[in-house]
Amino acid sequence: MNKMIIADPSECIGCYVCEIACVVAHNHQCWPRSTREFVPRIRVLKDAKNSIAVTCRHCNNAPCITSCPVDALRFVSATVQLDQNRCIGCKSCIIACPFGAIDMVPAVDSNIVLAQKCDMCQTTSVDQPACVTHCPTQALRIVDEQTLLTLRQERQQRTIDSKDYRQFEKQPQRKQILNKPLRKGAQKISAQQRIQHFAEIYIGLDQQQARYESTRCLYCAQKAHCNLTCPLHNHIPDFIQLVSEGNIMEAAELCHQSSSLPEICGRVCPQDRLCEGACTLKQHGGSVSIGNLERYITDTALEQGWRPNLSQVSLRPERVAIIGAGPAGLGCADILARAGVKADVYERHPEIGGLLTFGIPPFKLDKQLLSSRRNIFSAMGIQFHLNCEIGQDISFSTLTNDYDAIFLGTGTYGLMNIGLENEHASGVIQALDFLTANTRRVMGLEDDPRYPWVDITNKKVVVVGGGDTAMDCLRTAVRRNAASVTCAYRRDEASMPGSKKEVTNAQEEGVEFLFNVSPQCIVLDDTKKVSAVKLTRVQLGEPGKDGRRRPQLIAGSEFELAVDVLIIAFGFQPHDMPWLQGHNINLDDWGLIQTGGQGRLLTQTSNDKIFAGGDAVHGADLVVTAMAAGRQAARDILNLLDRKASNNQ
């Protein structure tokens, strides 16, 4: 008799815990390093209302076994087992399997694809299948001959006891488990009030609100879908549970185990696309307000005096230079300091944070938070060299000579051009220049000629683009008393790449949106200053390689939109770093720093001593992905330093 795992669809809540538990169990109890490595051997299938977990049936007369030409599949211990070393990737088993329970997955560090299927966790160290152990509703169970016999006898008895045996069946607990109060989240200041200033628009949770929101959490599992989708794999279910118990200091410690800037991420991360977007309660009263809880934990703990405790850390002799005090650089410095390594951070701006400080407007992120965090990092032994430009104030060669390792967290500050004639005319400005100049004034800093101030009072402002940077420019222009503020985006609203709540906030604040339009020409007046932008309406065509539908111009639909200031918000690309030349650091065709491969550590460049991470390696991305890369680089650097120390003994 075969053994297999079956699922009760009436109890499945679609939490994906079984998939996560499976992958973690087969990855030595660690999170997968990338989405490429997340290939569970059990699959959750969902529609609008229902969900069910599906996995291998370990059939007695398994057609996958008989179809395999190399004897890679065998019936062992009442289960169908796969020997991946024998597999040739012919896909015969996939065709033969009637349940679609076999996948083809890339082999480790190879482009070869091999079969993979449920092995009932016989190749792991867990006592029973991880999916069964971790299912929060016990919707999964192992079925063997004895289980089937027991089930048969129970149903026979019910038939004897009643003509309608269904009344004796267990009522599903699914509805009871999902019956949670509605999400409330954080309140925000009314649009009419908030456009009058640059203060944060969201009001942090108070103790009662935090307790309410935290008790909504189902605690699907310690490793749940929410922390899988977080690039830092924050301990989300655990810190939410600590909030519900009132243990804020413990929660703060837990937040800082995986994040270097939890009070920042709680404010600026696009939770709707990450942790909250993966919450099991999303379609059942609304996701748990994870971002607001993370903010509440850190704000409250810091106010009550929480600080990192490094009293047990032993100082090491090594020194590491970090270039860039953005989220990648700060994440790297944080991990190094906690390991006792002296970290010196070089930053060209007068405050830490990089784009966190100068690219994100104050109404989304209070700049005092970065100043406070700098004090915390400094107390940890991290030394900041602000207003220090590499290649100008200090040479890169000096750093390579003076430090044991270097981390490049330089970000991407290159500006994306619109590709039209007259785009450098007066009145056409880049998003980063506009945002940086504005933030410097809000912070009371002197104007910087690299980011010239443009007065837009009573002017018609048009922003081209549809991401978060575009929303930042639009909402900043409203607060700078523009006469009108318009967003021109070449796709529809559903296709906008940024956070949905930022689009909503912009709409509430009076921004006008023109969707499905593409800029074709910048019109100048007699003084060579921008006076209008010529737009053409588009329709979405077939999807490209990235899955997004390509805009197609509609002939004869051109029109002009009057404009005094045109802001280009097409994102960022790698900027030129001439000081890297001559140091054996490879760049790709786009100018991004290449790391890893050929036996190197994940964040190690082609120069053994130099590491890199964040936007400078992967391209412009999220704060949280940059921080995760910086923290990984610190672990790689520690690996290198440990090996050197061992070789010198």
Side-chain angles (χ1 to χ4, degrees):
M1 172 63 190
N2 62 320
K3 290 193 295 187
M4 61 181 175
I5 298 165
I6 63 170
D8 182 351
S10 68
E11 294 290 19
C12 181
I13 59 175
C15 62
Y16 295 99
V17 166
C18 55
E19 288 190 2
I20 298 164
C22 174
V23 171
V24 169
H26 288 85
N27 194 40
H28 311 293
Q29 299 304 314
C30 296
W31 290 106
R33 292 184 302 175
S34 66
T35 54
R36 181 177 181 264
E37 296 180 3
F38 186 80
V39 188
R41 301 160 192 241
I42 185 170
R43 295 285 186 178
V44 175
L45 306 180
K46 298 179 73 171
D47 60 18
K49 295 182 179 179
N50 302 304
S51 58
I52 183 66
V54 178
T55 190
C56 176
R57 294 289 182 174
H58 295 276
C59 313
N60 278 332
N61 299 309
C64 61
I65 293 178
T66 56
S67 70
C68 181
V70 293
D71 200 27
L73 288 156
R74 298 178 179 179
F75 205 66
V76 180
S77 301
T79 61
V80 177
Q81 296 294 320
L82 168 69
D83 183 351
Q84 213 172 49
N85 292 324
R86 288 174 172 262
C87 180
I88 59 174
C90 67
K91 304 182 180 66
S92 297
C93 54
I94 287 198
I95 298 171
C97 178
F99 302 105
I102 301 176
D103 286 307
M104 300 302 297
V105 301
V108 178
D109 298 325
S110 171
N111 292 324
I112 300 173
V113 291
L114 302 174
Q116 177 179 277
K117 63 177 291 296
C118 170
D119 60 357
M120 296 290 285
C121 284
Q122 290 190 9
T123 61
T124 69
S125 59
V126 295
D127 294 333
Q128 67 171 347
C131 58
V132 176
T133 301
H134 292 279
C135 177
T137 63
Q138 287 79 55
L140 298 173
R141 59 174 169 171
I142 302 172
V143 175
D144 56 16
E145 188 170 9
Q146 183 57 49
T147 305
L148 287 176
L149 178 60
T150 302
L151 182 61
R152 175 173 175 248
Q153 291 172 342
E154 287 176 356
R155 290 180 173 174
Q156 288 176 337
Q157 188 61 46
R158 289 172 185 165
T159 303
I160 295 172
D161 294 342
S162 172
K163 294 181 180 179
D164 185 8
Y165 69 85
R166 293 184 186 87
Q167 65 178 299
F168 293 96
E169 289 187 340
K170 181 183 71 171
Q171 295 301 310
Q173 300 180 49
R174 180 177 182 273
K175 288 185 178 180
Q176 180 180 345
I177 291 171
L178 295 175
N179 184 26
K180 292 287 186 178
L182 298 177
R183 171 191 170 111
K184 291 184 179 178
Q187 297 178 337
K188 58 184 175 182
I189 301 169
S190 69
Q192 186 176 7
Q193 289 179 300
R194 67 188 191 237
I195 62 174
Q196 306 301 321
H197 55 71
F198 280 90
E200 289 186 354
I201 74 167
Y202 286 97
I203 303 170
L205 303 178
D206 59 26
Q207 183 179 13
Q208 183 178 359
Q209 292 168 328
R211 183 69 62 88
Y212 171 90
E213 202 61 51
S214 63
T215 54
R216 296 183 63 243
C217 178
L218 302 178
Y219 197 91
C220 303
Q222 190 173 57
K223 286 184 169 64
H225 205 202
C226 55
N227 46 353
L228 169 71
T229 53
C230 171
L232 289 167
H233 300 309
N234 284 332
H235 306 282
I236 294 171
D238 285 332
F239 74 58
I240 291 178
Q241 188 173 65
L242 288 169
V243 173
S244 70
E245 297 168 354
N247 297 323
I248 303 304
M249 292 300 188
E250 274 188 65
E253 284 288 345
L254 199 58
C255 286
H256 283 84
Q257 283 184 17
S258 56
S259 177
S260 302
L261 302 165
E263 75 277 26
I264 308 297
C265 292
R267 287 168 164 85
V268 302
C269 269
Q271 289 95 3
D272 55 341
R273 289 193 281 137
L274 298 172
C275 54
E276 292 182 15
C279 180
T280 306
L281 286 177
K282 182 178 180 180
Q283 304 300 329
H284 305 278
S287 304
V288 175
S289 189
I290 298 169
N292 289 316
L293 287 171
E294 185 178 29
R295 171 184 173 178
Y296 167 79
I297 290 167
T298 319
D299 287 356
T300 304
L302 290 174
E303 186 179 335
Q304 293 178 0
W306 180 91
R307 293 295 183 273
N309 181 5
L310 273 63
S311 60
Q312 303 302 313
V313 174
S314 298
L315 296 181
R316 299 176 53 143
E318 301 96 342
R319 300 168 67 229
V320 175
I322 296 169
I323 301 177
L330 296 176
C332 183
D334 181 25
I335 296 296
L336 291 174
R338 291 172 183 272
V341 174
K342 181 70 170 65
D344 283 347
V345 183
Y346 293 84
E347 170 59 47
R348 65 177 179 173
H349 285 296
E351 182 55 273
I352 70 168
L355 289 180
L356 284 174
T357 299
F358 297 99
I360 295 178
F363 53 78
K364 288 174 62 176
L365 182 62
D366 183 351
K367 304 310 170 184
Q368 183 58 41
L369 293 169
L370 276 306
S371 178
S372 298
R373 183 54 71 168
R374 173 162 56 87
N375 292 334
I376 292 172
F377 283 142
S378 296
M380 293 169 62
I382 300 169
Q383 185 171 357
F384 292 99
H385 304 266
L386 303 178
N387 290 309
C388 185
E389 184 90 40
I390 306 299
Q392 180 176 315
D393 299 304
I394 187 171
S395 71
F396 188 60
S397 295
T398 298
L399 300 184
T400 59
N401 291 332
D402 292 351
Y403 290 89
D404 297 285
I406 296 174
F407 172 69
L408 304 175
T410 52
T412 51
Y413 286 86
L415 305 179
M416 300 280 283
N417 293 321
I418 196 171
L420 299 179
E421 186 178 358
N422 301 324
E423 66 178 288
H424 299 295
S426 177
V428 182
I429 59 179
Q430 283 282 348
L432 183 58
D433 293 348
F434 175 68
L435 294 172
T436 301
N438 177 76
T439 298
R440 290 181 71 93
R441 287 219 170 180
V442 174
M443 294 175 66
L445 300 173
E446 292 183 2
D447 290 346
D448 188 324
R450 293 175 297 179
Y451 315 103
W453 169 259
V454 177
D455 186 5
I456 60 172
T457 304
N458 296 323
K459 294 182 178 179
K460 296 184 287 291
V461 176
V462 175
V463 177
V464 180
D468 284 343
T469 299
M471 298 307 110
D472 293 344
C473 292
L474 293 161
R475 299 177 63 201
T476 296
V478 169
R479 287 161 173 77
R480 285 299 178 191
N481 300 312
S484 64
V485 182
T486 305
C487 176
Y489 180 56
R490 63 177 184 160
R491 291 186 172 92
D492 57 16
E493 183 174 356
S495 303
M496 299 186 84
S499 172
K500 304 306 179 188
K501 71 177 181 181
E502 291 305 310
V503 177
T504 299
N505 288 335
Q507 291 170 333
E508 292 173 350
E509 292 169 8
V511 174
E512 181 183 356
F513 283 81
L514 292 179
F515 295 109
N516 299 307
V517 294
S518 178
Q520 300 299 305
C521 177
I522 297 173
V523 182
L524 306 183
D525 62 17
D526 294 338
T527 65
K528 303 300 182 181
K529 186 180 184 301
V530 63
S531 63
V533 57
K534 183 176 289 185
L535 301 167
T536 299
R537 300 194 185 279
V538 301
Q539 59 187 3
L540 296 181
E542 294 299 317
K545 292 181 179 180
D546 59 358
R548 303 186 74 194
R549 296 171 64 190
R550 293 285 182 255
Q552 298 176 339
L553 301 180
I554 299 175
S557 65
E558 298 85 358
F559 66 99
E560 285 190 5
L561 180 65
V563 58
D564 298 312
V565 176
L566 180 65
I567 301 176
I568 311 303
F570 280 1
F572 309 107
Q573 61 185 353
H575 58 281
D576 188 29
M577 293 179 282
W579 42 268
L580 282 181
Q581 295 176 8
H583 291 278
N584 188 32
I585 297 176
N586 294 334
L587 307 178
D588 67 10
D589 293 339
W590 297 95
L592 295 169
I593 301 170
Q594 293 184 319
T595 63
Q598 298 180 337
R600 296 187 178 276
L601 296 166
L602 189 63
T603 62
Q604 193 172 31
T605 70
S606 42
N607 184 323
D608 291 349
K609 190 177 183 178
I610 301 172
F611 296 74
D615 292 0
V617 173
H618 301 113
D621 204 347
L622 304 175
V623 170
V624 67
T625 54
M627 193 195 312
R631 291 168 66 92
Q632 177 60 47
R635 290 188 283 268
D636 289 344
I637 290 171
L638 290 170
N639 187 330
L640 173 73
L641 298 179
D642 288 342
R643 284 190 300 186
K644 285 185 177 180
S646 178
N647 291 336
N648 292 333
Q649 287 180 352

